[in-house]
Amino acid sequence: MTKISLIIGSTRQNRAADKVAEWVTGQISLHDTLELEIIDLAQEDLPFFVAPTPPSYAPDQSPHALAWGKKVAATDHIIFLTAEYNRGIPAALKNAIDYLKSEWEGKPAAIISYGFIDGGLSATRHLQDVLGWLKVRVVPTTIQLQLTRDMLGADGTIADPVSSFAGYNEQMNDMLDELLADEASVAT
């Protein structure tokens, strides 16, 4: 089994991430060779990164940094699920990324963003730039889920993520195929 970790990057209350993750989880469950781990940054509750030295020069040895590094190192692949806040990624996601250096390097990854303006395209580009600097191997297919007001239920959350995002199912399969092909190319 190939382990994929879905990192949920939004930590705000009433976030859309929970419903988007529901769709992602459903799509991954269709592949019986994949084992999914959900890493919700709202539950990780990493403190703001304040180590005196960047991890490029000296890894943070605090207990939360060591636990976070162990979790990231243990996964085969990562799917970053990011909202778009002010044309970039959420601070909690950037903070989690900034804790580590070597654990990210060479890791195959994919990006799924969501937003009302352009499906989170600016957040995708921002995250691609950050991950590129860390030498994460981001697959070419990225998914930008376009949110619309008619998707929202009375409580303000996405009422039916399965039907709302059904138009992205093929793109999701392509992205997963690229993640697995990346793994095969590394193994040979």
Side-chain angles (χ1 to χ4, degrees):
M1 295 276 278
T2 300
K3 184 176 181 181
I4 295 180
S5 292
L6 175 64
I7 296 179
I8 300 174
S10 173
T11 59
R12 75 171 182 81
Q13 296 177 13
N14 203 35
R15 63 190 181 176
D18 297 330
K19 293 293 187 168
V20 177
E22 187 178 312
W23 172 75
V24 174
T25 301
Q27 291 298 301
I28 291 174
S29 72
L30 299 174
H31 301 267
D32 58 0
T33 61
L34 303 178
E35 175 190 347
L36 178 65
E37 173 189 28
I38 296 176
I39 301 174
D40 187 344
L41 293 182
Q43 294 174 3
E44 293 298 317
D45 199 27
L46 288 167
F48 195 72
F49 180 73
V50 294
T53 308
S56 298
Y57 302 107
D60 184 349
Q61 297 299 309
S62 65
H64 48 269
L66 293 172
W68 176 237
K70 185 176 179 180
K71 187 173 280 194
V72 170
T75 190
D76 299 324
H77 301 84
I78 296 171
I79 297 175
F80 289 93
L81 178 59
T82 184
E84 182 172 289
Y85 295 164
N86 297 318
R87 310 305 275 169
I89 61 175
L93 179 55
K94 182 66 167 76
N95 185 58
I97 291 169
D98 287 347
Y99 263 95
L100 308 174
K101 170 71 167 91
S102 63
E103 293 86 349
W104 299 120
E105 193 170 324
K107 190 76 67 178
I111 300 170
I112 300 173
S113 63
Y114 58 91
F116 284 96
I117 304 292
D118 56 9
L121 182 60
S122 293
T124 294
R125 290 177 178 157
H126 180 202
L127 189 52
Q128 285 173 319
D129 188 42
V130 170
L131 297 177
W133 176 255
L134 293 169
K135 297 183 175 73
V136 174
R137 295 192 323 263
V138 179
V139 299
T141 297
T142 60
I143 300 173
Q144 289 78 46
L145 300 170
Q146 181 68 52
L147 303 182
T148 60
R149 296 279 176 218
D150 62 333
M151 290 179 181
L152 305 180
D155 64 354
T157 63
I158 299 167
D160 182 4
V162 173
S163 63
S164 293
F165 303 132
Y168 297 95
N169 291 351
E170 187 175 330
Q171 196 176 7
M172 180 70 171
N173 285 329
D174 292 344
M175 186 189 73
L176 290 171
D177 287 345
E178 289 172 6
L179 275 174
L180 297 175
D182 183 271
E183 176 181 56
S185 69
V186 171
T188 57

